[in-house]
Structures are given as structure tokens and as C-alpha cells.
Amino acid sequence: MKRVILAALLGAATAGCALSPTGEKTLLLNSASQMNTIGRQSFEQMKQQQPIEKDVQTNRYVECVANAIVAQIPPEYGYAPESWELVVFKSDEINAFALPGAKIGVYTGMVKLAKNQHQLASVIGHEVAHVLAQHSNARLSQQQLTQLGLATTSLILADRVDNGTQQAMMNALGLGAQYGILLPYSRLHESEADRMGQELMARAGFDPSEAARLWQEMAQQAGSTPLEFLSTHPAPSTRIRQLDTQAASLTHTWQQAQAAGARPDCDRLKPKQG
Ligand SMILES: [Zn+2]
């Protein structure tokens, strides 16, 4: 029996081997539609359990930035710009996430931390890039392999999930601390999301050099307050340097985008902070 399970798992693993958008080998055991379902279910649950920011100005500001970013997603990813749902959660938590199934969540704490539209665009671009590169699928696949249990895998595949399994899924999606987050994104996933996200922001007309400024700001804040975002997105100083280097190489892309008319003007909507 063990041998049968192992063979089946190896078969699944071989079938699931793929290349990420930037050419990294990655293991994807779940279909895109399965991941979309998990993403949508988790998002619904969060909307029921967490206070949502109703302030029109704040929502317009975040929407303005998010819309500009998702408009730049290449069509081959199969995410139409209008398919994305954005929710601003009312919480001092400095956090943001995006989920398969075209969902974006931004916490008001992050809206306050990001000094301008460019910095907020860098967070949203980074999170959307995690989705495009199927990082949650890769993480869930790793967990499934680690568990080495065909029963668990088939349970997940069958969409008949108990609480424990659902918890594992939410962990794989990288949701916040109150959802029992255990797994930080890997360094590889982080740098891939940085690269892709920064390119999205440059193509949308946001200043790519502001990405490094945002992470700097977060690293400084982390000294005094626990930062949920940093617990799932480790940001060593090497990474900030890399963002600066990439920003320089994206200057041309950014200028071209601006010349073509991509000049987002979301800061006029940014709520004043007292
Ligand atoms: Zn990340």
C-alpha cells in the first residue's frame, strides 16, 4: 500500500513540475481552478470575520493604485483587470495580500505606512506577483509532499475539507497571524515577487525606486512594532539593495510608460493623516 501511495505521489510530483515566470523550477500539484476556489473561500471568510474600511476616500485611493497595477498583468496569466476584487480592511495591522481567484486585501495600517501612491503600488504589485507566479500553489504542494499522505492530498483535491486542512490551506496562502500563519515565503519566492511586482509598477507608471523606500520604512518600523507583513515576507538588507538595482534597470520602462500616458494620479485621493 505504501508503495502505491508513494508511486502515486511521485507521479503527481512529476506531472506538477513546472517553470515559474522567471524560469525557476517549481512543483505545482494543484490546478489553477482548485487554487482559485481556495483563494475565494478564504477571502469570503476574511470579509465575514474582519472589519472592512468604509471610508470612500480611502477606498478610492487604494482602488486607483490597484487598478493601475492589475491593468498591466500580461493577458497570458488569464486574469482580466476587471475580474479583481479589492477589499480594504480596517486594521492597524501593517499588512496586505493577494489570493488566487483575483482577490486583493490591503489593511489600513499599510495604507498609512506607504507614504505615497508609488509605495502602495510596490506592495500591491508584489502581492499580485505572488499570485501570478502561483507561489501559494507551490507552498501548498510542498506541504502536501511533506505530509506524504495521499489521503490528505485527495481530501484537498476533493474540496471536502475539515478545519485542520482548511487551516493548512490558509497557511499556504500566507494569510495573517490570526489565521495561524506559519510559513514565510521563501527567499526565492520573495525575490521573484519583487522582480515581477517592480516591473508591473514601472509599466503602470509608478516610480520603481520607491519599492526599496517602502521596505526600508517597514524595516525601521519593525524595531518598535511587530509587523505582520514582515513575518511572512522576510526583508533582509540584501533585498533592499536588490530592489534599488532593479529600479535602476527599470527606469527606461518607467519613462516609456509615462511617455505612453501611464501617469497615475492617485495621490490626489490619498486621505490626509492626522
Ligand atoms: Zn512577498
Side-chain angles (χ1 to χ4, degrees), residues 138-272:
R139 286 163 48 148
L140 186 56
S141 302
Q142 276 302 329
Q143 282 193 337
Q144 288 161 332
L145 262 198
T146 309
Q147 284 161 350
L148 261 185
L150 197 62
T152 313
T153 307
S154 60
L155 201 68
I156 290 168
L157 296 182
D159 263 350
R160 283 193 306 272
V161 292
D162 57 29
N163 286 341
T165 312
Q166 177 135 21
Q167 191 64 62
M169 288 172 171
M170 296 186 98
N171 291 347
L173 292 171
L175 295 179
Q178 65 272 53
Y179 293 95
I181 177 66
L182 297 167
L183 297 173
Y185 279 106
S186 72
R187 217 167 257 202
L188 199 70
H189 286 175
E190 282 307 287
S191 63
E192 189 165 59
D194 277 345
R195 263 188 285 172
M196 292 173 66
Q198 221 174 358
E199 192 177 341
L200 282 177
M201 73 182 281
R203 291 219 316 262
F206 295 108
D207 178 357
S209 73
E210 289 282 340
R213 303 292 82 76
L214 176 97
W215 288 95
Q216 253 167 357
E217 182 65 30
M218 266 197 279
Q220 271 164 21
Q221 292 258 332
S224 50
T225 30
L227 281 195
E228 293 78 7
F229 196 71
L230 287 182
S231 66
T232 49
H233 298 76
S237 55
T238 49
R239 205 176 143 192
I240 291 169
R241 280 202 299 278
Q242 199 153 29
L243 282 167
D244 270 328
T245 311
Q246 279 161 199
S249 70
L250 283 167
T251 306
H252 183 64
T253 307
W254 177 40
Q255 284 167 348
Q256 264 188 330
Q258 289 207 312
R263 287 187 217 93
D265 183 21
C266 306
D267 276 339
R268 79 199 142 82
L269 299 165
K270 190 174 185 349
K272 300 268 175 296

Side-chain angles (χ1 to χ4, degrees), residues 21 26 28 30-32 35 129-139:
T26 182
L28 302 175
N30 308 286
S31 73
M35 293 310 297
H130 274 308
V131 171
L132 299 182
Q134 304 192 69
H135 289 159
S136 45
N137 192 347
R139 286 163 48 148

